[in-house]
Amino acid sequence: MEPLTDLFANAQQWLFEALVQPLVFAMGLGGWLEDAFTATGWLLVGLLQIAAMLLLIGPLQRMWPVEPVTDRRAIRTDILYTLVHRLGLFRLALFFTLEPWMDNLFGWLRVEGLSTWHLDGLWPGVTDLAWVSFVLYLLVFDFADYCIHRGQHRFQWWWNLHALHHSQRQMTMWSDNRNHLLDDLLRDAILVVLAQLIGVGPGQFVAIVALTQLSENFHHANLRLWFGRVGERLWVSPRFHRRHHSIGIGHESAGRNSLGGVNFGVLLPWWDMLFRTADFTVRYDPTGIRDQVEPGPRGVRDYGHGFWRQQWLGVLRLVGRA
């Protein structure tokens, strides 16, 4: 049987030659073929992820839902967020804005003698085995994601952006990418810098991102599922992550308008267990933010319904004008 890596490479080559390459030439961008080929790989990953969501996670949601679907408009907006990210539109924007700056920065660091440290060279003969190095990199990136997530709930300015993600009252498998674009930009910049510093290979980086994203789609699903007493402590479940989104629990530590929360783990609950932020209570509470349902001095807060309205309100919250 042909290895999965070869199957993916052949599919990437076919998609590039059949669709992307003609489009690049038609736009007069023939000098960007190498970058377009890389982008084709990300596009293929996104298409495979969407297929897995529709064929696997979607049926599970319909079989064992936590709650009935009552707000399809909110779900349609989340689908738009997912398409923007998984079909490469957000990554394309980063390519023309953030990536040139990052390339210049790391080029300058190498000129100054600061070379990349390769984590897979930690123990020659062991950590340079493909599966061992993949696990090592996965652990490092998952811990970084945990720290980033803690920061999103720790600093008020960052929470003002991240709150958009928590404002979804109708959580589904599409809710993972419901983020403010500035929030995504900051997170991706941190992870790209980390990838450069520890020397993760492009193929492994793509695999780690793909696994993380698809797992997060599963975690956000409208799915009444937990992994049992042992399994809950091995991998983040939909139940575990829903607790993180529960009103007044997942995003607060000391009551109304406080910051903090529980269950920040992205793939592994180990970091929550280590830093005492884990909540393994088996409950499926309503999701959202307290100020959406409990009126304050100015009433309930509006986080917006459409894509651009949500982005604009996030900017206003960031500058203290919302």
Side-chain angles (χ1 to χ4, degrees):
M1 182 178 177
E2 194 173 19
L4 291 178
T5 53
D6 290 344
L7 288 174
F8 183 87
N10 291 337
Q12 180 181 0
Q13 186 69 37
W14 175 84
L15 183 61
F16 176 72
E17 294 176 352
L19 176 64
V20 177
Q21 183 174 258
L23 183 61
V24 169
F25 280 128
M27 297 174 63
L29 301 174
W32 299 85
L33 282 180
E34 183 177 346
D35 298 299
F37 183 76
T38 301
T40 305
W42 285 107
L43 172 61
L44 180 57
V45 167
L47 292 173
L48 291 173
Q49 288 174 329
I50 293 173
M53 292 166 65
L54 294 173
L55 296 175
L56 299 176
I57 306 177
L60 291 175
Q61 286 189 142
R62 292 189 289 272
M63 290 172 62
W64 299 299
V66 172
E67 58 190 358
V69 175
T70 58
D71 191 350
R72 296 191 179 277
R73 179 185 178 188
I75 295 175
R76 286 195 296 269
T77 302
D78 284 0
I79 292 174
L80 177 59
Y81 277 102
T82 301
L83 295 179
V84 165
H85 283 78
R86 303 302 169 87
L87 298 185
L89 299 180
F90 180 70
R91 193 167 297 277
L92 184 64
L94 292 183
F95 175 77
F96 287 107
T97 55
L98 180 64
E99 190 164 323
W101 181 81
M102 298 292 288
D103 288 342
N104 290 335
L105 172 64
F106 285 107
W108 176 80
L109 289 175
R110 292 188 181 96
V111 169
E112 295 298 317
L114 299 175
S115 60
T116 298
W117 176 67
H118 288 268
L119 180 62
D120 56 6
L122 188 64
W123 186 358
V126 177
T127 56
D128 52 0
L129 295 174
W131 71 270
V132 175
S133 63
F134 179 79
V135 170
L136 279 177
Y137 286 125
L138 186 68
L139 289 172
V140 170
F141 278 101
D142 193 56
F143 178 64
D145 259 331
Y146 172 84
C147 295
I148 291 171
H149 206 172
R150 287 291 298 271
Q152 290 169 324
H153 286 252
R154 170 65 177 83
F155 303 106
Q156 185 65 58
W157 64 269
W158 207 348
W159 169 252
N160 289 338
L161 294 174
H162 187 62
L164 170 59
H165 180 69
H166 280 260
S167 66
Q168 178 55 282
R169 304 291 312 282
Q170 186 79 78
M171 268 181 59
T172 68
M173 64 181 182
W174 302 103
S175 300
D176 172 46
N177 287 121
R178 177 194 173 97
N179 300 308
H180 198 281
L181 296 180
L182 293 177
D183 193 11
D184 279 331
L185 177 64
L186 180 55
R187 175 182 176 272
D188 282 9
I190 294 172
L191 294 181
V192 167
V193 169
L194 176 62
Q196 290 282 347
L197 291 177
I198 64 176
V200 61
Q204 287 184 318
F205 184 67
V206 171
I208 290 170
V209 171
L211 174 62
T212 301
Q213 289 178 336
L214 191 57
S215 187
E216 287 183 296
N217 290 130
F218 180 63
H219 301 160
H220 288 85
N222 178 24
L223 180 59
R224 187 177 294 273
L225 178 67
W226 74 301
F227 296 158
R229 186 174 182 82
V230 175
E232 286 284 292
R233 288 158 176 78
L234 298 178
W235 199 265
V236 171
S237 71
R239 194 282 322 159
F240 186 89
H241 194 68
R242 187 179 180 89
R243 192 71 172 163
H244 175 71
H245 279 264
S246 298
I247 297 174
I249 299 172
H251 60 274
E252 296 177 347
S253 291
R256 184 185 176 91
N257 296 325
S258 66
L259 296 178
V262 297
N263 297 6
F264 299 100
V266 175
L267 295 180
L268 305 169
W270 307 347
W271 318 118
D272 284 298
M273 296 163 64
L274 179 63
F275 295 104
R276 299 183 179 182
T277 55
D279 183 344
F280 290 104
T281 306
V282 184
R283 289 179 53 176
Y284 299 88
D285 296 298
T287 61
I289 305 175
R290 189 190 296 273
D291 58 17
Q292 290 177 290
V293 295
E294 294 183 8
R298 299 182 181 180
V300 295
R301 184 184 290 272
D302 175 26
Y303 287 88
H305 292 285
F307 180 93
W308 291 114
R309 177 66 175 170
Q310 291 172 354
Q311 294 297 308
W312 175 241
L313 289 175
V315 172
L316 293 182
R317 288 193 302 275
L318 181 62
V319 299
R321 299 288 297 276

